[in-house]
Amino acid sequence: MENIKEQVGKRIKESRKIAGLTQKEVASILMMTQQQYSRFETGIFELDYSQLIQISKLFNVSVDYLLGLKDI
């Protein structure tokens, strides 16, 4: 079974691509480097609550979706 950070990372990456944004663009919006943001998508780093909410609003998806609790 895949770990939660990897699952969240895959859903964030999928949502970003659907939104037509690059990692660099999203990182800029979240006020971090592209490298930092990339680590969220790969499951190396874990998002904090405020980042999770920011990303859900940015991509217009629920936090439940990002956490793998619901499908879109």
Side-chain angles (χ1 to χ4, degrees):
M1 182 171 184
E2 135 183 270
N3 76 43
I4 188 71
K5 289 189 289 186
E6 290 172 354
Q7 183 177 13
V8 170
K10 284 182 181 179
R11 288 185 178 229
I12 291 170
K13 183 176 183 177
E14 177 182 287
S15 298
R16 175 182 58 78
K17 287 186 174 193
I18 289 169
L21 297 169
T22 66
Q23 285 186 348
K24 188 172 183 175
E25 290 169 327
V26 174
S28 177
I29 292 166
L30 299 176
M31 295 189 294
M32 63 179 65
T33 68
Q34 181 272 327
Q35 291 83 6
Q36 288 172 307
Y37 176 76
S38 173
R39 290 182 179 120
F40 292 122
E41 285 193 2
T42 58
I44 295 170
F45 286 172
E46 192 170 299
L47 295 162
D48 66 27
Y49 299 128
S50 63
Q51 291 166 326
L52 196 58
I53 291 167
Q54 282 181 297
I55 288 173
S56 73
K57 288 179 179 180
L58 177 63
F59 298 142
N60 197 30
V61 296
S62 71
V63 171
D64 283 350
Y65 168 74
L66 293 176
L67 293 174
L69 302 172
K70 291 185 179 179
D71 290 328
I72 290 184

